[in-house]
């Protein structure tokens, strides 16, 4: 995607720190940062990873223009040595991330960056904003799609998105999460995601009557008309006019009316009445679409009421993840060393217990049951630990150590895929359709108890014995020094 | 701002409708659309208009590339005549908008577009997403700034923004709403908005001790150091080390420690203890900054507890407007005609009463008290109505007609400024600093009762007698035909 130079989309402190590292001879030290999150939005049982392709795109093209350097020089804060470094900037980090579409859980590394401190620090904001945003929307979309139980869901929220990228990349993330398409035209143009469109009230108002408006529309789009039937009165005017147009205009052309849309009023009641009227007129194949501030809770409620809805247009509550609009990913230093082979694990203590980090350069594995292919647990390990799948593996609770579970008859998948190797991109492009299918499959691998909306089961994310020992040692060291 | 071509950031139905209008000989009919909103976020008493400069930028540069045309052609839905129209597209609408920084209220037109139906319809999504997003953030920022009662507020939310533009333009909007600066570097580069930056926990962790980390930082930034004191333990380690550095490193250089930042724990308690320790060490001029999921409610609460905080870093709850993350502006057809001089007002009825629109091509005035300069009421009128300031003016409630107020000793200001005249841009660029000052002044003109957070007084937005008569006539007509 061609766009403005986003290099300077960095928190200012990342630049002052990068300059400071260089100043103190630490710029080329190897730093390892993990991105992880602490809480699933909407108190859900899992989130969906998204945004990796855009992160790759950013890192692949990361450079500082003359204007960027000049702007920084004028701040009178940065050494010429640093500005020179930026001028000749060559990204040389290793980067890993969990594949887009994968269910992800609190506390596990979802992105790991290892490389020169000056670089790994600089990219903090772009790593976070990219992954936080798209994971937020993919997660919300997946909830909505699960509530709709196979009915079509279209993303209609561009107008209420938090600016342009939120509309465009939000629609991409929603598609990964499982929606069937979007009203956002540019998202189809950029990513090949199917657009959906009906008509606005303005179309109906532009004509002298609702009937004329419907008639004109189906004349132009005989195969693709979804008529908006609530401009004046759904049951007295909208449905009768839609039926009349189906009979008088479309049938003589050998065409059928594709659908009607209801955007206001009591959708449950109106959809049932509308279905009955359409059926009685022989339009049993005419679909009913509903919109108007829908989300997973309202859709679930409509289905409980047996509303006759074939497809949902979901707007502001999806594109802003309204009920829980922040994905709280953070980016924390976990190890530092003079070179790759010699890394010292680092921990961040905190007055808030849940803000204590898991130290060290790490790997992440998911255990699956061999018979059911259900996901059993995720395990965070030291980077070079291997798991012998031929033996049982005992996992234990990361806070309540005595709570143990022995895993047998399992296989494991490493979850962190390498994106960059010494700054070289090794990421393989995937289509959004591939990612979306993969997401659906991986969500299928979760137990229903993890997927329910109310009080979902907490999926196990445990530490290996070696990693646990390391964390305890660092915490004890800290305790002894205070 | 240079960026990708956003022409196709349109809901797909805007394009099918535009093509349909042309198809039915209505493309060149004059259509008038109003953007308005129905509810102030957070149940506040008013919102702040923002985003006009970006809307102007988009409209000024609106054109269809060959790729856009080719993409549309491949949809097999659009006539060659339409594609030709797009190829030779020349924006020719009149556009008005309320000035950025102005307090705005539900139900009044905040943007009006008048021009060829095909064009006025096409731009719907970009008008809405641009104004909705920035007005949302400016409104939230203004609430937070008012809660902080003159203390410094810095926008720190880029990493949790809903993608890139939300970070960049969100920081712009937050500044208009009154924050003092942002951590978002590119926003300074693009708009000249002051950046703020401190240090991250990673800086502290990179060094062998907190003291060394602080010492190195102040050596590099002797005039600009705000030390993050909660990496290990605020009172036992962070504050003592900060004081030591101030005494041992900065004082010999003739410098003072600028500030410390607390990002976790009980901020009220820690800030009071920290203040005491700093004061006892003679660092009475060292400022205390607080961050960690702040918003207007938490800031108000901290102030009630007499927390010793000089500045607030506000992140995710500002940049996503977390407690109320949707600004629900809509774009509705209000008049249509064969030409400018011959417009027929249009109304949209709805099963939801609050979705009924106010018809006609209109103007908007704000009445101010001559003595106090306080805003008294807004009045929506037919477009060509004039108000004779020498005479009393009786306003009445738009739903409860008998509730009347006679205004005297007032002056009026028209609120809608023309941005485009027959497609020609007549908008005068303003700096964000001008807009921010104007915003502060205009918010000052509101009564405290409108500004309070709980149950604010509903500011009067009334219709002129002529506009009211028109609305009633259209509603009656509709009622008689149903």
């Amino acid at each position: 995607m061609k766009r403005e130079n986003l290099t300077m989309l960095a928190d200012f402190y990342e630049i002052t720190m990068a300059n400071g590292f260089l100043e103190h001879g630490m710029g080329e030290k190897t730093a390892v940062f993990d991105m992880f999150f602490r809480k699933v939005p909407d108190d859900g049982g899992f989130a969906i990873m998204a945004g990796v392709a855009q992160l790759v795109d950013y890192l692949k093209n990361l450079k500082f223009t003359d204007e960027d350097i000049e702007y920084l020089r004028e701040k009178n804060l940065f050494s010429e040595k640093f500005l020179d470094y930026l001028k000749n900037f060559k990204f040389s980090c290793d980067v890993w991330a969990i594949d887009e579409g994968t269910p992800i859980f609190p506390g596990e590394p979802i992105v790991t960056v290892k490389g020169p401190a000056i670089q790994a620090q600089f990219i903090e904001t772009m790593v976070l904003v990219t992954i936080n945003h798209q994971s937020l929307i993919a997660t919300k979309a997946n909830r909505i799609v699960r509530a709709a139980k196979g009915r079509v869901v279209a993303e209609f929220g561009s107008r209420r998105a938090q600016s342009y990228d939120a509309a465009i990349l939000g629609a991409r993330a929603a598609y990964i999460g499982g929606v069937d398409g979007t009203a956002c035209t540019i998202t189809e143009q950029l990513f090949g995601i199917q657009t959906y469109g009906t008509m606005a009230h303005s179309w109906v108002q532009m004509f002298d009557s609702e009937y004329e408006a419907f008639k004109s529309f189906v004349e132009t789009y005989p195969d693709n008309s979804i008529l908006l039937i609530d401009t004046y009165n759904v049951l007295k005017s909208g449905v009768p006019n839609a039926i009349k147009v189906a009979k008088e205009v479309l049938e003589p052309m050998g065409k059928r009316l594709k659908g009607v849309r209801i955007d206001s009023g009591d959708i449950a009641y109106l959809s049932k009445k509308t279905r009955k009227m359409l059926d009685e007129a022989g339009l049993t194949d005419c679909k009913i679409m509903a919109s108007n501030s829908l989300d997973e809770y309202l859709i679930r409620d409509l289905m409980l009421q047996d509303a006759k809805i074939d497809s949902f247009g979901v707007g502001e509550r999806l594109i802003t993840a309204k009920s829980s609009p922040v994905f709280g990913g953070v980016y924390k230093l976990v190890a530092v060393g003079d070179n790759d082979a010699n890394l010292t694990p680092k921990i961040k203590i905190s007055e808030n217990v849940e803000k204590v980090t898991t130290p060290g350069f790490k790997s992440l594995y998911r255990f699956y049951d061999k018979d059911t292919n259900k996901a059993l647990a995720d395990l965070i390990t030291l980077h070079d630990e291997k798991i012998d799948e031929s033996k049982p593996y005992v996992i234990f609770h990361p806070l309540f150590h005595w709570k143990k579970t022995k895993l047998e008859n399992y296989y494991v998948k490493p979850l962190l895929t390498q994106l960059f190797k010494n700054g070289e991109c090794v990421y393989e492009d995937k289509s959004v359709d591939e990612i979306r299918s993969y997401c659906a499959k991986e969500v299928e691998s979760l137990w229903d108890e993890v997927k329910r909306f109310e009080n979902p089961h907490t999926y196990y994310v445990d530490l290996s014995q070696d990693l646990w020992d390391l964390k305890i040692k660092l915490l004890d060291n800290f305790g002894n020094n205070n």
Side-chain angles (χ1 to χ4, degrees), chain A:
Chain A
M1 178 167 31
K2 218 180 86 226
R3 51 165 310 137
E4 75 206 85
N5 165 21
L6 288 178
T7 304
M8 286 292 134
L9 181 33
D11 281 18
F12 195 66
Y13 76 178
E14 286 148 25
I15 312 179
T16 48
M17 287 191 287
N19 175 65
F21 288 147
L22 196 70
E23 203 70 354
H24 294 278
M26 302 167 76
E28 294 300 315
K29 277 206 176 202
T30 298
V32 184
F33 284 86
D34 280 347
M35 174 178 180
F36 63 92
F37 68 106
R38 298 186 181 109
K39 215 180 133 307
V40 179
D42 283 311
D43 294 320
F46 66 98
I48 299 291
M49 181 74 175
V52 172
Q54 282 64 45
L55 177 59
V56 167
D57 198 41
Y58 162 74
L59 294 174
K60 240 166 51 175
N61 298 301
L62 180 54
K63 63 167 193 290
F64 294 78
T65 64
D66 291 346
E67 292 76 43
D68 294 339
I69 308 275
E70 202 37 53
Y71 155 74
L72 290 174
R73 180 174 285 120
E74 283 171 14
K75 300 288 292 178
N76 284 321
L77 280 172
F78 306 113
S79 70
E80 279 304 316
K81 185 176 153 202
F82 177 67
L83 297 176
D84 234 49
Y85 181 96
L86 298 185
K87 203 173 163 166
N88 302 307
F89 188 89
K90 202 186 158 322
F91 186 62
S92 61
C93 294
D94 289 341
V95 183
W96 294 261
I98 293 181
D99 289 350
E100 292 192 89
T102 309
I104 51 176
F105 300 93
E108 61 192 21
I110 60 175
V111 178
T112 293
V113 176
K114 179 161 78 67
I118 192 171
Q119 298 192 4
Q121 182 69 71
F122 179 81
I123 64 176
E124 176 177 12
T125 297
M126 278 298 284
V127 171
L128 290 174
V129 64
T130 303
I131 303 296
N132 276 336
H133 168 245
Q134 286 200 51
S135 299
L136 176 74
I137 304 303
T139 303
K140 186 67 171 180
N142 191 261
R143 292 170 65 83
I144 291 171
V145 165
R146 282 184 284 130
K149 292 181 184 285
R151 282 161 192 74
V152 170
V153 177
E155 187 286 303
F156 276 9
S158 294
R159 60 192 56 198
R160 305 282 164 78
Q162 293 192 358
S163 206
Y164 316 124
D165 298 312
I168 301 167
L169 298 173
R172 176 187 187 272
Y175 190 70
I176 289 174
V179 307
D180 296 280
T182 176
C184 188
T185 310
I186 196 171
T187 303
E188 177 175 78
Q189 196 184 22
L190 291 170
F191 301 107
I193 294 167
Q194 174 69 47
T195 49
Y196 280 72
T198 62
M199 61 168 60
H201 296 111
S202 56
W203 177 274
V204 179
Q205 293 173 282
M206 279 288 284
F207 292 80
D208 288 335
S209 74
E210 191 179 47
Y211 175 74
E212 248 178 281
F214 288 176
K215 177 170 178 289
S216 303
F217 201 79
V218 302
E219 281 168 359
T220 307
Y221 304 108
D223 296 309
N224 293 284
S225 286
I226 297 177
L227 303 173
L228 181 60
I229 56 176
D230 74 335
T231 304
Y232 303 114
N233 184 305
V234 171
L235 301 179
K236 288 188 190 162
S237 161
V239 180
N241 280 324
I243 291 172
K244 203 170 160 200
V245 159
K247 297 280 177 195
E248 294 178 5
V249 187
L250 285 171
E251 278 189 14
M253 297 162 71
K255 304 280 185 185
R256 307 285 299 171
L257 179 60
K258 191 172 167 197
V260 295
R261 176 162 75 100
I262 307 172
D263 187 44
S264 59
D266 189 316
I267 306 254
Y269 170 77
L270 292 173
S271 71
K272 285 189 246 185
K273 284 281 187 189
T274 298
R275 181 74 274 156
K276 195 153 174 284
M277 290 165 78
L278 292 173
D279 287 352
E280 284 171 2
L283 302 178
T284 51
D285 55 336
C286 177
K287 304 287 188 196
I288 300 176
M289 173 175 242
S291 47
N292 194 17
S293 299
L294 299 176
D295 61 14
E296 66 270 42
Y297 306 107
L298 277 164
I299 287 176
R300 189 173 56 176
D301 197 47
L302 284 169
M303 310 253 297
L304 280 173
Q305 295 172 75
D306 201 27
K308 300 301 182 193
I309 299 169
D310 303 289
S311 64
F312 297 98
V314 183
E316 62 192 40
R317 296 191 185 191
L318 166 55
I319 206 68
T320 68
K322 187 176 180 218
S323 54
S324 199
V326 171
F327 195 88
V330 296
Y331 186 80
K332 294 292 174 190
L333 184 74
V334 292
V336 60
D338 291 327
N339 55 58
D340 270 25
N342 176 22
L343 293 170
T344 306
K346 291 281 179 176
I347 194 163
K348 185 196 159 288
I349 317 295
S350 173
E351 316 258 334
N352 305 22
V353 177
E354 73 280 7
K355 284 193 168 188
V356 174
T357 59
T358 297
F361 177 37
K362 302 184 287 290
S363 288
L364 177 64
Y365 296 93
R366 181 157 298 168
F367 287 68
Y368 293 87
D369 185 273
K370 257 190 188 165
D371 295 332
T372 63
N373 292 310
K374 290 288 182 191
L376 300 169
D378 285 5
L379 186 77
I380 315 175
T381 70
L382 298 177
H383 184 70
D384 46 12
E385 279 187 69
K386 294 278 170 269
I387 292 159
D388 180 352
E389 291 166 308
S390 69
K391 291 181 184 155
Y393 195 98
V394 176
I395 57 169
F396 54 88
H397 192 285
L399 288 177
F400 314 113
H401 199 177
W402 64 92
K403 290 180 78 173
K404 294 185 182 179
T405 306
K406 188 198 256 185
L407 302 176
E408 292 175 288
N409 192 41
Y410 66 82
Y411 60 94
V412 298
K413 279 206 295 199
L415 290 188
L416 289 162
T417 301
Q418 189 152 16
L419 310 177
F420 288 85
K421 215 168 190 163
N422 298 318
E424 192 94 7
C425 180
V426 294
Y427 168 80
E428 281 172 46
D429 265 327
K430 290 180 200 76
S431 73
V432 281
D433 282 305
E434 274 177 85
I435 299 171
R436 181 170 177 271
S437 305
Y438 169 75
C439 177
K441 187 175 137 272
E442 289 301 303
V443 170
E444 200 45 52
S445 81
L446 301 177
W447 295 106
D448 286 344
E449 289 71 18
V450 174
K451 290 192 273 189
R452 70 184 172 221
F453 293 162
E454 274 75 30
N455 301 316
H457 175 75
T458 302
Y459 180 85
Y460 297 135
V461 177
D462 294 342
L463 310 190
S464 71
Q465 188 67 49
D466 288 355
L467 181 56
W468 163 267
D469 291 344
L470 171 67
K471 186 168 184 174
I472 292 299
K473 197 180 83 188
L474 291 181
L475 282 171
D476 281 349
N477 280 352
F478 171 77
N480 294 336
N481 295 332
N482 266 268

